[in-house]
């Protein structure tokens, strides 16, 4: 029906934007399956699809979804080893979106995307990873050098045989 708002007496209780919005998920500590503590943060993209449910389904729907995304991110990290966390970001993002969407549906919110921004391992782990990468580069250089030396010896032997 027709409703009249009287200024100074009536007010709008809730106002929600129906546009897609992005919210930063602050850095937090998570423990991987192989017991490495890492710092991780991300960005959550969501949209209010039902303003009534967003207003009356939960007290602060955006904060509720952000908290749910944080706890889900920690639990997903706990299922993976440190190496897998770097390799499977897309799978982890999709799992977080799926789990959060299941819960946020009754709050009138749809999570569109979740992107992990940074995965920060402890300095000792980072140094070990750098040392491992350097050792791998040296190994590849030595293999290439030995293959070059072998090819050179083969070429010299073929040259002597033909002469």
């Amino acid at each position: 029906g027709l409703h009249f708002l009287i200024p100074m007496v009536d007010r709008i209780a809730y106002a929600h934007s129906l546009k897609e919005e992005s919210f930063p998920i602050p850095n937090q500590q998570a423990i991987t399956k192989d017991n490495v503590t890492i710092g991780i943060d991300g960005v959550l993209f969501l949209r209010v699809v039902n303003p009534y449910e967003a207003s009356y389904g939960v007290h602060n729907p955006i904060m509720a979804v952000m908290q749910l995304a944080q706890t889900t991110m920690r639990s997903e990290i706990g299922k993976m080893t440190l190496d897998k966390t770097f390799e499977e970001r897309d799978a982890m993002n999709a799992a977080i979106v799926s789990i959060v969407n299941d819960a946020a549906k009754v709050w009138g919110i749809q999570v569109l995307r979740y992107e992990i921004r940074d995965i920060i391992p402890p300095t000792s782990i980072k140094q070990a990873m750098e040392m491992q990468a350097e050792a791998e580069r040296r190994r590849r250089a030595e293999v290439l050098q030995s293959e070059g030396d072998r090819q050179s010896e083969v070429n010299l032997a073929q040259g002597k045989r033909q002469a």
Side-chain angles (χ1 to χ4, degrees), residues 70-123:
Q70 283 182 321
T71 57
T72 304
M73 182 171 51
R74 278 196 300 269
S75 71
E76 288 297 314
I77 291 287
K79 296 176 186 175
M80 299 181 175
T81 63
L82 180 64
D83 293 336
K84 291 287 186 189
T85 59
F86 293 111
E87 296 169 6
E88 297 185 9
R89 281 185 174 203
D90 292 337
M92 199 168 14
N93 289 341
I96 292 169
V97 167
S98 174
I99 292 168
V100 174
N101 261 337
D102 289 343
K105 195 179 301 180
V106 297
W107 299 333
I109 293 180
Q110 177 188 19
V111 177
L112 303 170
R113 284 184 312 283
Y114 183 86
E115 295 294 330
I116 293 174
R117 210 173 2 186
D118 286 325
I119 298 175
I120 306 164
T123 54

Side-chain angles (χ1 to χ4, degrees), residues 28-32 34-39 82 120-122 125:
Q28 60 184 333
Q29 300 297 313
I31 300 174
T32 62
D34 50 355
N35 291 326
V36 176
T37 302
I38 59 174
L82 180 64
I120 306 164
I125 299 292

Side-chain angles (χ1 to χ4, degrees), residues 20-88:
E20 179 179 346
E21 297 180 69
S22 66
F23 296 95
I25 303 296
N27 192 342
Q28 60 184 333
Q29 300 297 313
I31 300 174
T32 62
K33 189 175 187 178
D34 50 355
N35 291 326
V36 176
T37 302
I38 59 174
I40 189 165
D41 64 351
V43 180
L44 183 68
F45 297 88
L46 56 86
R47 180 175 69 207
V48 174
V49 291
N50 187 333
Y52 180 81
E53 289 177 354
S55 299
Y56 299 108
V58 67
H59 175 64
N60 188 344
I62 304 301
M63 183 59 72
V65 170
M66 287 176 60
Q67 294 294 320
L68 186 59
Q70 283 182 321
T71 57
T72 304
M73 182 171 51
R74 278 196 300 269
S75 71
E76 288 297 314
I77 291 287
K79 296 176 186 175
M80 299 181 175
T81 63
L82 180 64
D83 293 336
K84 291 287 186 189
T85 59
F86 293 111
E87 296 169 6
E88 297 185 9

